[in-house]
Amino acid sequence: MLDLWKTRQKTHQKQMFKYLRYVLNDHFILALLFILGGLALGYSNYIKALPTQEELWYAKPLVLLILVISLQVGRLATLLKPADIVFISPRQAEMGQYLQKALRASLVFAWVFDTLVMLALAPFLLVAAKLTAVQLIFLWLLLLVLKYLQLDRQLLGLYQAQFASGRWKWFLDIGFCGLLLGTSLYLDPLYLLLVAALLTGYVDRSKKALTTQAVFDWEGAIRTENARMLQLYRFFALFTDVPNLQVAAKRRRYLDRLLPQAKPNGSFTYLYWRALVRNGETSGLVLRLTVLGAVILYFITEPWLALALAVLFIYLLGFQLFSLYHHYDEVVFMHIYPLDPTGKQRAFQKMLGQLLFTLAVIFTLVSWIQLQNSLFSLEFLGVLVLEVALLTRPYLKGRLAKRA
C-alpha cells in the first residue's frame, strides 16, 4: 500500500504541475503582483495608522474569525479512485498505513497555508491586539495542532460515519477550534496548547483502534475525494480547459423572470443566457470573479491601481466566457432547426456586452464608495465601457475568425 501511495502521489503531483503551468502564466503573475502589492501597501498604511497606546476592541474577534476560516482550507487528500472499491478493498487491513501517508502529505500544505496566515496577521496582533512574540508563537503552534485534529477527524470519518456528519464537522472544525482559539487570544495560549496536545494523543489512540477494527467506508471516501478534486478542477478551469471537470446543469427557476424570454428572432439570446446561468462552471466563474474583484477594489485607495485591476478583471472574465459561444455547436438540433446563423454572433455579443457592462457598473460603484471621487468614477466607468465595447466587437470577431 505504501508503493501505491507513492505512485498515486507522483501521478497527482504531475497532473497538478501540468495545470499550474497555465495558472502561473505571465499575465496572472503580473496581476498577482499588482494585487498583492496593493494589498500589502494598504495593509502597511493601516497598521501605521493604528493607535499604539491601547488595544482595539475588534482586533481579537476579527483575528479569531480569520483563523477559523483559515482552518477550513485544506482537506484530507486520499487520492482514492472509483475503481479502488473493487481492486483494493480486499486489502482493507492495510489502509491504515496508506491513510497515514495521506494525512502527512495533507498536513504539509495545510501547515504552510496556516503559517502564511499567521505571518500576515502578526503585525496586526502585535499592534492592535497587544500580543507578545511568545504568545504569537504559542498561538501559531495551537493553530497547527488544531489543523492536525481537523484532518484526524476527517480520517476518522472514513471509518465511522458520525465523524463525517455535518453536526460533528460544525462542532469540531468550527465550534471547538473557535473556542480554543478565542480563549487563547484572551488568556495564555500555552495552556490551550497543552489541552490540544493531550486531545491529540487521545484521538491518535482512537484512530489506531478504528483503523484495525472498524470497516472502511469506501463509497464515502471516494465521494469525498471526488468532491475535493472537483474544487481544484473548478479553480484550474478559470485559466484553461479541464477535461476532468464535469459540472451538472442546474435549473435555477427563480431567475427565469430576469432572463430574456423565447422569441422567434431571439432564439440564440434565450439559449445563451440560460447556458450562462444554468451551467455551474460559467455562473460560478462570473460570481467568483465579480465578488473577488469587488472586494479587492474596496480596499484599494490608489485610483489608477483600482482602474488597472478593474480593467484586468473584466478582461479575464470576458476572455474566459468566449468559449461559451460554441456551447451549442455539438447539439444536432441546432443544425436541423432553421435558425439564422448570423444572429448567433449578434446574440452572443449582446449577452456578453450586457454582462460585462453590469460588471463595470458594479466595479465603478465599489470604487466610488472607497475613493469618493465622482469625476474619477465617471472616467472609471468610461474606460470600462470602452473596454467592454472593444472586447465584444473587434476583439471577439477576431477570435471567432481565427477559430473558424
Side-chain angles (χ1 to χ4, degrees):
M1 295 298 286
L2 297 181
D3 292 335
L4 175 63
W5 167 256
K6 292 178 181 179
T7 303
R8 290 276 174 90
Q9 189 178 33
K10 289 181 180 179
T11 304
H12 178 73
Q13 291 174 348
K14 185 178 180 180
Q15 184 185 32
M16 294 299 102
F17 285 137
K18 182 185 72 173
Y19 287 123
L20 283 175
R21 287 186 303 171
Y22 298 101
V23 175
L24 301 177
N25 55 58
D26 295 338
H27 300 288
F28 182 73
I29 291 178
L30 182 62
L32 196 61
L33 289 176
F34 272 105
I35 294 172
L36 293 179
L39 292 177
L41 178 62
Y43 184 52
S44 176
N45 293 334
Y46 171 73
I47 295 296
K48 293 177 181 177
L50 291 176
T52 58
Q53 305 299 327
E54 57 183 8
E55 176 184 332
L56 297 179
W57 64 270
Y58 63 85
K60 291 179 179 178
L62 177 61
V63 169
L64 173 62
L65 178 63
I66 295 174
L67 291 180
V68 172
I69 293 176
S70 70
L71 279 175
Q72 312 312 311
V73 177
R75 297 163 62 181
L76 179 65
T78 59
L79 306 184
L80 293 174
K81 308 293 183 182
D84 292 344
I85 196 172
V86 177
F87 296 101
I88 306 180
S89 56
R91 304 179 63 181
Q92 176 177 310
E94 303 176 41
M95 282 301 297
Q97 299 176 350
Y98 181 93
L99 293 175
Q100 279 299 116
K101 287 290 186 180
L103 177 63
R104 292 170 188 172
S106 303
L107 276 174
V108 172
F109 168 79
W111 280 353
V112 168
F113 178 81
D114 291 334
T115 301
L116 292 176
V117 172
M118 279 300 302
L119 288 175
L121 291 175
F124 182 75
L125 285 169
L126 291 172
V127 176
K130 303 304 179 188
L131 265 63
T132 64
V134 176
Q135 288 176 320
L136 277 179
I137 294 175
F138 286 144
L139 182 63
W140 168 63
L141 293 175
L142 176 61
L143 188 68
L144 300 186
V145 173
L146 290 178
K147 187 61 189 182
Y148 177 78
L149 287 173
Q150 186 185 86
L151 293 181
D152 253 354
R153 194 272 309 166
Q154 296 178 18
L155 193 153
L156 293 176
L158 303 179
Y159 286 90
Q160 290 191 348
Q162 63 266 29
F163 288 107
S165 64
R167 183 182 303 175
W168 273 95
K169 183 180 185 303
W170 186 94
F171 174 74
L172 293 176
D173 295 356
I174 299 178
F176 178 74
C177 294
L179 177 63
L180 283 185
L181 288 171
T183 308
S184 66
L185 286 170
Y186 290 93
L187 302 178
D188 194 338
L190 176 60
Y191 301 109
L192 282 303
L193 178 61
L194 294 176
V195 171
L198 292 174
L199 183 60
T200 302
Y202 173 77
V203 171
D204 279 342
R205 288 195 298 270
S206 302
K207 182 176 62 178
K208 291 180 181 178
L210 276 177
T211 53
T212 56
Q213 300 174 9
V215 177
F216 186 73
D217 183 10
W218 287 96
E219 293 183 356
I222 294 171
R223 185 168 56 249
T224 303
E225 179 63 16
N226 289 340
R228 188 189 70 86
M229 291 301 300
L230 180 61
Q231 291 183 348
L232 287 176
Y233 290 144
R234 283 175 175 171
F235 172 73
F236 293 137
L238 297 175
F239 304 90
T240 185
D241 293 332
V242 181
N244 295 325
L245 182 62
Q246 298 178 356
V247 182
K250 295 184 179 180
R251 177 66 176 84
R252 307 188 198 278
R253 192 184 302 274
Y254 53 88
L255 293 177
D256 282 350
R257 295 183 179 181
L258 303 177
L259 301 178
Q261 302 303 312
K263 297 180 181 179
N265 296 326
S267 300
F268 282 109
T269 302
Y270 176 89
L271 291 173
Y272 277 131
W273 273 110
R274 277 153 181 79
L276 173 69
V277 170
R278 296 176 182 177
N279 186 289
E281 181 181 352
T282 54
S283 60
L285 172 68
V286 172
L287 181 62
R288 287 191 295 270
L289 283 181
T290 302
V291 173
L292 180 62
V295 171
I296 292 175
L297 288 175
Y298 181 78
F299 291 99
I300 299 297
T301 57
E302 182 64 36
W304 297 109
L305 178 60
L307 178 59
L309 290 176
V311 169
L312 178 64
F313 271 99
I314 287 182
Y315 171 77
L316 288 175
L317 183 59
F319 184 80
Q320 291 294 326
L321 290 179
F322 284 169
S323 60
L324 192 65
Y325 179 81
H326 303 282
H327 186 78
Y328 295 102
D329 286 357
E330 303 300 324
V331 179
V332 64
F333 300 103
M334 302 297 294
H335 305 280
I336 296 177
Y337 195 81
L339 295 174
D340 181 13
T342 60
K344 179 180 179 180
Q345 183 172 324
R346 291 197 301 269
F348 184 75
Q349 287 177 331
K350 182 179 179 181
M351 182 275 295
L352 187 61
Q354 291 174 347
L355 178 65
L356 295 182
F357 176 76
T358 303
L359 189 65
V361 172
I362 293 174
F363 285 169
T364 303
L365 290 176
V366 173
S367 177
W368 177 80
I369 293 173
Q370 173 60 255
L371 301 175
Q372 294 293 318
N373 189 332
S374 301
L375 179 60
F376 179 77
S377 297
L378 291 175
E379 296 173 352
F380 192 99
L381 180 61
V383 172
L384 296 186
V385 170
L386 177 61
E387 181 191 16
V388 171
L390 293 175
L391 276 176
T392 56
R393 299 296 175 181
Y395 188 75
L396 176 61
K397 290 181 178 179
R399 295 281 302 185
L400 296 180
K402 290 181 180 179
R403 183 76 180 264

